[in-house]
Each structure stands twice: as structure tokens, then as C-alpha cells.
Amino acid sequence: MDRFVESGSIVTGEAFGVTEAQARVVEAGFVKTMERDVFSHYGLTHSDWMDHVDPADLPTFRRAAIKGDFSIFHQHAAQVAKARKDGSAFED
């Protein structure tokens, strides 16, 4: 799990009993779940949300996902949606 939290990659290979295809299915399923259960509530897609995520924050989001704590995603998605609506998300 530590490796996933830091890199975002699901460890694959015979030694781990996980194929590349299985890892892709897990990732796609997670994205769809997040879009359905979190991002759609704020008019966002996963891609929209990712456009506003600081890469340095990704380990925090991954750790929360592993724990099943989606509150951080809701909080961030609400901030992103508000910023996109008022235009401040697109200011440099």
C-alpha cells in the first residue's frame, strides 16, 4: 500500500498475484465509483477534478481512498466546482 500511496501504481506481477489487466480494471472501477459517488454531485468528471489537483497532494488522496474516507474528495471537489463556477479556477 505504501508504494501505491506514493506512486499511484498498483504493484503487478506474478510475485504479487496481480496482472496488468487486473490493475487497470481496479483503477477504472475506482474512477467510475468516484465519478458516480463524489464528482457528479459537483458537476465534475474525474478528469475535471484532476485538472485542479496538486500532484503533491495525490498521496493524501490515495491514503484516504484506501481507508474509504471520501470526505476529503467531497471537500476538494466542492472547492473545485466553486472555483470553476466563479472563474477563479482558471486564473494564473
Side-chain angles (χ1 to χ4, degrees):
M1 287 298 142
D2 291 337
R3 188 166 163 186
F4 170 74
V5 167
E6 292 306 316
S7 71
S9 297
I10 297 173
V11 180
T12 61
E14 194 172 314
F16 301 101
V18 179
T19 67
E20 292 281 336
Q22 289 169 323
R24 287 192 303 272
V25 167
V26 168
E27 182 178 351
F30 177 73
V31 168
K32 289 295 182 190
T33 298
M34 293 303 290
E35 285 186 334
R36 182 190 66 229
D37 295 347
V38 178
F39 304 133
S40 67
H41 296 264
Y42 306 96
L44 302 170
T45 64
H46 179 260
S47 180
D48 294 335
W49 179 75
M50 284 297 294
D51 287 344
H52 303 280
V53 174
D54 183 332
D57 293 334
L58 286 172
T60 300
F61 286 114
R62 290 184 197 117
R63 195 171 292 107
I66 288 169
K67 291 179 181 178
D69 178 9
F70 295 153
S71 64
I72 188 173
F73 292 94
H74 279 283
Q75 292 167 3
H76 191 261
Q79 292 170 351
V80 168
K82 181 182 182 301
R84 288 172 65 96
K85 184 176 180 178
D86 70 21
S88 64
F90 304 104
E91 297 173 352
D92 285 344

